[in-house]
Amino acid sequence: MNRRMRSAKVTLGLTALMAASLTGCASDEDEQPDYAAICVDPETQTRADDDNCTDEREYHGSGGGFFWFYMATRGNAFVPPVGGRYNVAQGTYTVPRSGSPTVRRGGLDRGGGDIGTITRGGFGKSGHGSSGG
C-alpha cells in the first residue's frame, strides 16, 4: 500500500513538472519573430522546400522561381505543409519594413500548422490540410 502511494506521488510530481516546462515553452513570446517566411512557388501558389529559396528576391507579380512569403506570426495564419497551397491573403511577397520587425525565413514545421504555434517551436501544432488562395 505504501509503495503504491509513493508511486502515485512520483507520477503526479513528474506530470506537474512536465506541464510546467511545456507551459514555459509555449509562453516564451520574446523569441517569436514578428514575421515568418515560407518558401513558395507563386505560379502554383504552393509551399516549397526551404532549400529552393536561395536568396531574398521579392516577387512582384511576374517571373518564375521560388520566393519567400512573409506572414505575421500573431495573425492566426495557417502555414500549409510543403506541397500544400497557401492563402495569398495571409501574407506578402515583400519583406515587411514598417518599424523594426524581426523576420525568420524558413525552418517552420514541414507539416504546417498554426503560425503562432509553430514559430515558437512546434508545441501543440494545430490545423490541417491546405488552404486555397
Side-chain angles (χ1 to χ4, degrees), residues 54-130:
T54 57
D55 56 33
E56 297 177 17
R57 291 178 303 142
E58 295 181 349
Y59 181 70
H60 295 284
S62 64
F66 298 96
F67 300 87
W68 292 112
F69 183 75
Y70 301 88
M71 299 184 299
T73 59
R74 291 174 179 85
N76 297 323
F78 175 76
V79 177
V82 171
R85 289 179 59 92
Y86 60 95
N87 185 341
V88 295
Q90 292 185 332
T92 176
Y93 294 106
T94 58
V95 179
R97 293 184 175 88
S98 64
S100 301
T102 54
V103 177
R104 173 179 168 184
R105 292 178 185 85
L108 300 182
D109 191 321
R110 294 177 48 85
D114 179 273
I115 192 166
T117 302
I118 63 176
T119 54
R120 286 191 298 260
F123 166 65
K125 184 174 76 174
S126 64
H128 61 299
S130 62

Side-chain angles (χ1 to χ4, degrees), residues 12-23:
L12 184 60
L14 287 175
T15 302
L17 181 63
M18 205 165 149
S21 67
L22 289 175
T23 302

